[in-house]
Amino acid sequence: MELNKQNYSLIERDIDAINKITRTILQNPVLQRLGHPEQFSAYERIKQFEALDELLASYSTAMSGSRAVDYSFYAHDPDGYFSFAPSTQLSMRGVYFFGDVEMPDWYPEALEKKGTGYLKIFAAYGPVSKQPTLAYVRAVNSIERADRPIGVLVATGVEHIVRDSLNTVTLPEGEIFFTNEDDQVLASGDGAIGHTIDVPGKEKMSYQGTYSVVHEDHIYVVHYNEYRQQKLVYRMPVEALLSQQTELRQALQTITVGLAFAVMLIMFYFWRSLMTPLQKLVGFVRIYEPGGSLPAYRETGRHDEIGVLMSSVHAMASRLNALFENQYKLEIKQREAQLKLLYEQINPHLLYNTLESIYWKCSLDGHSESAQMIKELSRLMRIALSCGKELIPLRDELEHARAYVNLQKMRYDYGFRVQWDVEEALLQTPIPKITLQPLIENAIIHGVKSMEDEGEIAIIGRTEDGHAVIRVADNGYKEADLELLRRLVSGEETDPDRGYGVRNIQQRIRLHFGEPYGLSYEKREGGGLAAKLVLPIGPEPNE
């Protein structure tokens, strides 16, 4: 039954392939333009006829080495727009236009299907010698108006394609038929089509499935598809199956006796050739302890699989001992590195305490401005070090940027304004440390440095398309070279002395988060430049 089902799947695949070709043809503009013959001149209609004929010829080729499927187009032409075209068959394929008198009897039936393809037996088809053929028939409707038919597309010779699929199965003295619901043979293993066969067991038919029945010394295996109204029938003589089973039973008995004798010989060989050295190998494995001394091992001189296995096990034990030794040394180095890190953490702590002492000394002596600068410097260094962390929360990065801005204002007495506008929900977003400071520094130097009170820098953070977007914008009057900035960010600029900070920011973001995150530049509304950072929204970093 499973073989029958798989065989039917092959036939469905072939028919679906023809259906896809007909859909491609009917959607082609060359065919669709035939629906408006009155809009074209006689010369243009001749060109349309020739183009459609060439289109059908290009598809009338052999499929998978079998006989070709021929495609023809039939259309009702009551007004005689295509009177120059043939109205009856001149070859196995072609384009035909006919009037009311020449209309084939199957043409109205095809139009009633409204574009649904179906299989039909043509009892006599061909220009000279009329032969029965299995055709795939499909009405062609206008794409603009689905209720307006253009004609009918006919694919003939389908029985040869189906027959090739049927002959992939060989039955003992059996026959294979592909029929419609009325048991008319659409294709068969011997090539005969059009006749009707008696298929018993109709009471077992379901919507779709496979069943078997014994009837008049034959076994029938039937796969039925109610939606397509098709059957795949295997008919085999019961006597042939029983004869084949007897021969198979005798062959199995002979093979069983031979295998039993062969197994006994193999077991004896394995016992003599394999078990003794394997027992020695088991003793070696039991004595050996990883990291300890290797048990004594004597070369056996064997070069077969067992000898290779024993040598490999001994070599593996040696490598395992070396691995244990390396692991031990690595653990010692890791502990040394941890101790070194703990000692190095003392230095920043000492630096913070020293700066704090200087801060209080300046405050008590009345040097409030110097004290404030020392306090901002302490905050700047504390966040920059961040206990060795590479990613810090956006909240800390903003604090670092504020400390830098305050130092710059106190150092150079700049008069520019700074606007901080970041959504509360973004403050835990992870960001590589010292990312905003270089961008703010560029905005000061290249943007608002000489503008005094008119200069303005805005640090704005928003959620856009599920990402955190941070913009550092200035209202500088100088025209920025966006193409140069693009090359710097993308790495196309080869001069290592230009845009080091910009490249550094882009590379660190890409290393941490990958694409599409990173740095880009855009013009600011109202003049100036804006650096745009796109970061993933995530929890507070814990590295």
Side-chain angles (χ1 to χ4, degrees):
M1 290 188 180
E2 188 63 29
L3 179 63
N4 186 293
K5 186 184 301 182
Q6 293 176 359
N7 200 186
Y8 183 80
S9 298
L10 289 177
I11 298 173
E12 278 192 322
R13 182 197 62 185
D14 295 334
I15 296 175
D16 287 341
I18 297 174
N19 179 64
K20 291 178 181 178
I21 293 177
T22 59
R23 182 167 65 245
T24 302
I25 295 175
L26 66 86
Q27 291 176 348
N28 195 292
V30 172
L31 182 55
Q32 287 294 319
R33 280 195 290 268
L34 296 180
H36 307 282
E38 71 281 355
Q39 298 179 3
F40 303 95
S41 64
Y43 176 77
E44 291 173 330
R45 290 195 290 271
I46 292 174
K47 289 296 183 181
Q48 292 173 356
F49 172 83
E50 293 176 347
L52 180 56
D53 189 60
E54 292 177 359
L55 177 65
L56 296 180
S58 67
Y59 285 101
S60 299
T61 56
M63 297 174 57
S64 303
S66 60
R67 180 173 169 179
V69 175
D70 297 305
Y71 292 88
S72 301
F73 178 73
Y74 295 84
H76 186 209
D77 185 28
D79 298 323
Y81 286 111
F82 293 89
S83 58
F84 56 84
S87 59
T88 57
Q89 270 191 298
L90 300 179
S91 64
M92 292 302 294
R93 64 160 185 82
V95 182
Y96 306 101
F97 292 87
F98 48 83
D100 295 335
V101 177
E102 298 90 352
M103 181 182 296
D105 55 356
W106 50 263
Y107 188 81
E109 176 190 3
L111 296 182
E112 290 177 0
K113 299 290 186 179
K114 299 186 182 300
T116 301
Y118 64 99
L119 294 175
K120 180 178 178 61
I121 290 287
F122 285 164
Y125 191 86
V128 180
S129 59
K130 304 293 185 179
Q131 299 292 333
T133 184
L134 176 62
Y136 186 82
V137 183
R138 185 172 186 175
V140 180
N141 295 324
S142 172
I143 294 178
E144 298 175 355
R145 290 183 53 187
D147 60 341
R148 180 176 181 177
I150 299 177
V152 176
L153 196 60
V154 179
T156 56
V158 179
E159 70 275 10
H160 304 293
I161 307 300
V162 178
R163 180 183 178 185
D164 290 341
S165 296
L166 295 178
N167 287 336
T168 59
V169 176
T170 302
L171 301 179
E173 301 180 21
E175 301 171 285
I176 305 177
F177 303 97
F178 180 59
T179 73
N180 58 18
E181 192 175 30
D182 298 327
D183 297 336
Q184 183 185 26
V185 178
L186 305 178
S188 64
D190 59 7
I193 63 173
H195 60 286
T196 302
I197 62 173
D198 181 23
V199 181
K202 291 183 172 59
E203 68 279 359
K204 294 186 177 182
M205 290 193 310
S206 60
Y207 173 72
Q208 178 167 331
T210 305
Y211 67 92
S212 61
V213 63
V214 179
H215 180 72
E216 296 182 356
D217 298 330
H218 284 82
I219 295 178
Y220 291 81
V221 179
V222 182
H223 181 84
Y224 174 63
N225 188 317
E226 184 179 13
Y227 174 74
R228 293 181 180 267
Q229 297 184 350
Q230 296 167 353
K231 300 176 187 177
L232 180 59
V233 181
Y234 289 177
R235 184 170 65 184
M236 298 162 288
V238 175
E239 184 178 352
L241 289 178
L242 294 177
S243 174
Q244 189 181 42
Q245 287 181 352
T246 301
E247 294 175 359
L248 181 61
R249 186 184 301 109
Q250 293 175 351
L252 288 176
Q253 290 175 350
T254 303
I255 293 173
T256 301
V257 173
L259 285 177
F261 182 72
V263 168
M264 292 177 63
L265 290 178
I266 292 173
M267 289 179 62
F268 180 75
Y269 170 78
F270 269 86
W271 181 261
R272 292 293 302 271
S273 302
L274 302 180
M275 294 306 296
T276 301
L278 285 178
Q279 288 175 352
K280 294 181 180 179
L281 181 61
V282 170
F284 176 88
V285 173
R286 286 177 177 174
I287 298 173
Y288 170 68
E289 292 184 3
S293 59
L294 287 175
Y297 172 73
R298 185 177 61 183
E299 291 288 344
T300 61
R302 298 180 57 155
H303 300 287
D304 59 0
E305 291 81 358
I306 296 299
V308 172
L309 177 61
M310 297 181 69
S311 299
S312 300
V313 170
H314 187 268
M316 182 184 65
S318 300
R319 291 194 298 271
L320 189 59
N321 275 5
L323 181 62
F324 267 79
E325 183 178 357
N326 292 336
Q327 180 67 23
Y328 177 72
K329 293 179 179 178
L330 179 61
E331 290 178 356
I332 293 176
K333 291 182 179 180
Q334 288 178 342
R335 290 191 178 95
E336 292 176 349
Q338 290 174 355
L339 289 173
K340 184 177 179 181
L341 179 62
L342 291 173
Y343 283 121
E344 288 178 350
Q345 289 177 351
I346 297 175
N347 293 332
H349 185 69
L350 179 61
L351 178 60
Y352 299 151
N353 290 341
T354 303
L355 289 175
E356 186 71 14
S357 299
I358 298 173
Y359 165 73
W360 284 110
K361 175 64 176 174
C362 291
S363 297
L364 294 175
D365 292 345
H367 303 295
S368 58
E369 185 173 354
S370 298
Q372 187 62 30
M373 291 183 69
I374 292 172
K375 184 176 182 180
E376 297 296 344
L377 176 61
S378 175
R379 181 182 296 111
L380 196 70
M381 296 182 67
R382 176 177 57 81
I383 298 176
L385 292 173
S386 300
C387 297
K389 294 181 180 179
E390 291 296 329
L391 294 176
I392 62 175
L394 181 58
R395 175 185 286 103
D396 293 347
E397 180 65 14
L398 291 172
E399 183 180 351
H400 179 269
R402 286 191 182 94
Y404 171 75
V405 170
N406 292 337
L407 280 175
Q408 293 300 310
K409 284 186 173 184
M410 288 184 285
R411 178 183 178 187
Y412 296 106
D413 196 21
Y414 289 151
F416 60 85
R417 300 182 303 280
V418 179
Q419 175 188 355
W420 306 87
D421 184 11
V422 178
E423 292 179 354
E424 180 72 22
L426 300 181
L427 295 181
Q428 298 300 327
T429 299
I431 182 173
K433 64 184 179 182
I434 316 178
T435 296
L436 295 179
Q437 181 269 325
L439 300 179
I440 296 174
E441 181 179 0
N442 288 341
I444 294 174
I445 296 175
H446 303 291
V448 302
K449 181 176 180 181
S450 302
M451 296 179 66
E452 297 185 356
D453 294 342
E454 295 181 359
E456 182 178 359
I457 298 176
I459 295 87
I460 301 172
R462 295 289 184 269
T463 301
E464 298 180 9
D465 298 329
H467 304 305
V469 178
I470 313 298
R471 287 182 174 85
V472 179
D474 65 78
N475 64 343
Y477 58 86
K478 294 181 181 179
E479 186 70 23
D481 189 347
L482 290 178
E483 177 60 22
L484 173 60
L485 292 172
R486 185 195 66 79
R487 294 201 306 271
L488 290 173
V489 170
S490 63
E492 298 176 10
E493 180 61 40
T494 58
D495 188 352
D497 296 329
R498 305 183 69 177
Y500 172 80
V502 171
R503 284 197 299 268
N504 181 277
I505 291 173
Q506 176 75 338
Q507 291 171 0
R508 285 192 291 135
I509 292 177
R510 286 290 170 84
L511 285 173
H512 281 293
F513 306 120
E515 295 186 8
Y517 305 107
L519 171 65
S520 61
Y521 281 89
E522 60 190 17
K523 287 187 176 181
R524 173 183 175 274
E525 294 183 6
L529 183 67
K532 177 182 176 182
L533 290 170
V534 180
L535 302 170
I537 298 177
E540 183 175 351
N542 55 10
E543 61 171 287

